[in-house]
């Protein structure tokens, strides 16, 4: 199985998986022009669409793709029911597509019903984890987002994370602010500045890398507590996670 990264809208990534028979799956189609070009160019047969959550920049392409490929199966959480999902899935559900097993993880936080699709060694996590950062909280809760991060942390560390957006540069700017002494992050930030200057992608990332560069996976680090100027009552890791997300919102 191979994966194609399709940059879309301003910062989105749509992911396309295909096998040796040219059958393919698309994850979070927020638009269709480029998808249709690729499907045409490589003569791909669209078998399924996977949706992580119900935001327009992740679901707006579904209707058009279904018009072109009416036999496509659309998997998504309950919240995507009116955006075209026909097979509604939740935590623990699994199914096989293109001879690969996909397991559904509840990754609530960015939205209340947000899910991820795990197919070893890949995780399609939508707007939950971004490289060096964390999705914004819309109708989910910060506590759920924290629990989603813990769930992801517990996957094998060689897992590749396919996020829904290219936000690495601005996330690293924040990471160097909260972890100013961390030389690894500073060096990684320099590397990403160069990559982005040349319009190169920085996703997928790995859990192993994120545990090092992503402050949201490192809430208990002393430098973070210092930068956030936390009151001594704040001890629980999820509370620090909350303060960190709040700080990023106003950064
Ligand atoms: Zn979103």
């Amino acid at each position: 199985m191979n994966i194609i990264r399709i940059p879309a809208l301003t910062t989105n990534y749509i992911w396309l998986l295909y096998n040796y028979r040219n059958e393919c799956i698309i994850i979070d189609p927020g638009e269709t022009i480029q998808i249709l070009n690729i499907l045409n160019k490589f003569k791909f047969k669209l078998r399924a669409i996977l949706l992580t959550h119900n935001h327009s920049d992740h679901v707006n392409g579904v209707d058009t793709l279904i018009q072109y490929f009416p036999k496509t199966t659309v998997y998504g959480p309950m919240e995507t029911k009116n955006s075209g999902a026909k097979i509604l899935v939740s935590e623990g559900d699994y199914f096989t597509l293109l001879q690969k097993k996909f397991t559904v993880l509840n990754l609530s936080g960015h939205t209340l019903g947000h899910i991820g699709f795990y197919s070893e060694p890949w995780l399609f996590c939508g707007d939950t984890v971004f490289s060096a950062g964390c999705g914004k909280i819309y109708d989910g809760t910060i506590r759920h987002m924290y629990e989603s991060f813990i769930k992801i942390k517990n996957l094998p560390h060689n897992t590749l994370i396919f996020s829904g957006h290219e936000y690495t540069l601005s996330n690293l700017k924040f990471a160097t602010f909260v972890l100013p002494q961390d030389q690894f992050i500073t060096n990684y930030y320099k590397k990403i500045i160069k990559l982005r200057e040349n319009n190169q992608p920085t996703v997928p990332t790995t859990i192993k890398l994120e545990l090092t560069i992503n402050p949201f996976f490192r809430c208990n680090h002393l430098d973070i507590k210092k930068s956030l100027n936390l009151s001594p009552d704040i001890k629980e890791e999820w509370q620090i996670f909350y303060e960190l997300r709040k700080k990023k919102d106003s950064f």
Side-chain angles (χ1 to χ4, degrees):
M1 188 108 86
N2 293 296
I3 302 187
I4 297 177
R5 177 197 305 101
I6 308 174
L9 304 167
T10 43
T11 58
N12 285 74
Y13 286 133
I14 297 166
W15 302 101
L16 184 151
L17 283 63
Y18 68 96
N19 66 7
Y20 66 98
R21 291 181 187 154
N22 276 5
E23 297 170 309
C24 78
I25 306 169
I26 289 170
I27 293 143
D28 284 352
E31 64 166 358
T32 48
I33 298 168
Q34 298 183 75
I35 296 176
L36 291 172
N37 284 340
I38 290 173
L39 294 180
N40 240 330
K41 188 175 164 190
F42 297 103
K43 304 277 177 284
F44 285 146
K45 290 158 267 187
L46 182 59
R47 293 287 183 246
I49 295 171
L50 310 185
L51 304 174
T52 61
H53 66 292
N54 194 35
H55 279 167
S56 58
D57 60 326
H58 294 252
V59 302
N60 266 3
V62 175
D63 285 350
T64 308
L65 289 172
I66 295 300
Q67 278 169 26
Y68 280 92
F69 305 95
K71 286 184 181 162
T72 305
T73 317
V74 186
Y75 295 79
M78 180 65 91
E79 66 178 29
T80 56
K81 196 178 167 192
N82 295 327
S83 301
K86 289 284 179 287
I87 300 187
L88 301 174
V89 289
S90 56
E91 170 83 17
D93 287 345
Y94 58 87
F95 49 86
T96 302
L97 288 171
L98 277 51
Q99 296 82 47
K100 285 262 303 173
K101 183 183 174 186
F102 288 79
T103 305
V104 178
L105 302 178
N106 176 349
L107 296 180
S108 179
H110 176 69
T111 65
L112 195 57
H114 196 301
I115 59 169
F117 299 94
Y118 177 61
S119 182
E120 200 183 350
W122 304 324
L123 173 66
F124 299 92
C125 69
D127 290 356
T128 306
V129 173
F130 300 118
S131 186
C134 156
K136 272 198 180 137
I137 310 300
Y138 285 92
D139 51 330
T141 70
I142 192 76
R143 189 69 194 254
H144 284 142
M145 182 61 103
Y146 170 71
E147 280 158 15
S148 297
F149 264 64
I150 296 294
K151 194 177 285 176
I152 291 171
K153 204 177 186 172
N154 287 329
L155 292 174
H157 288 181
N158 65 349
T159 302
L160 286 160
I161 300 180
F162 295 83
S163 312
H165 291 268
E166 175 65 63
Y167 288 152
T168 315
L169 192 63
S170 57
N171 285 338
L172 283 169
K173 192 174 176 189
F174 179 68
T176 53
F177 167 73
V178 288
L179 289 164
Q181 317 293 349
D182 191 311
Q183 205 50 48
F184 187 88
I185 294 182
T186 306
N187 291 339
Y188 191 71
Y189 184 33
K190 285 180 192 160
K191 185 180 153 188
I192 294 300
I193 289 171
K194 286 216 179 84
L195 277 177
R196 293 307 296 151
E197 274 171 4
N198 295 309
N199 211 17
Q200 294 296 307
T202 67
V203 185
T205 178
T206 62
I207 293 180
K208 186 170 179 241
L209 178 64
E210 291 309 308
L211 294 180
T212 314
I213 62 164
N214 192 327
F216 291 89
F217 279 117
R218 298 178 54 185
C219 291
N220 270 329
H221 198 285
L222 281 178
D223 276 357
I224 291 185
K225 290 184 186 168
K226 215 158 69 183
S227 313
L228 295 175
N229 213 358
L230 298 181
S231 92
D233 318 340
I234 295 181
K235 289 197 179 78
E236 300 274 343
E237 197 172 310
W238 79 267
Q239 294 174 303
I240 305 166
F241 187 93
Y242 170 83
E243 296 296 330
L244 197 59
R245 183 60 260 182
K246 218 164 69 179
K247 190 81 177 176
K248 176 69 165 62
D249 286 339
S250 60
F251 185 67

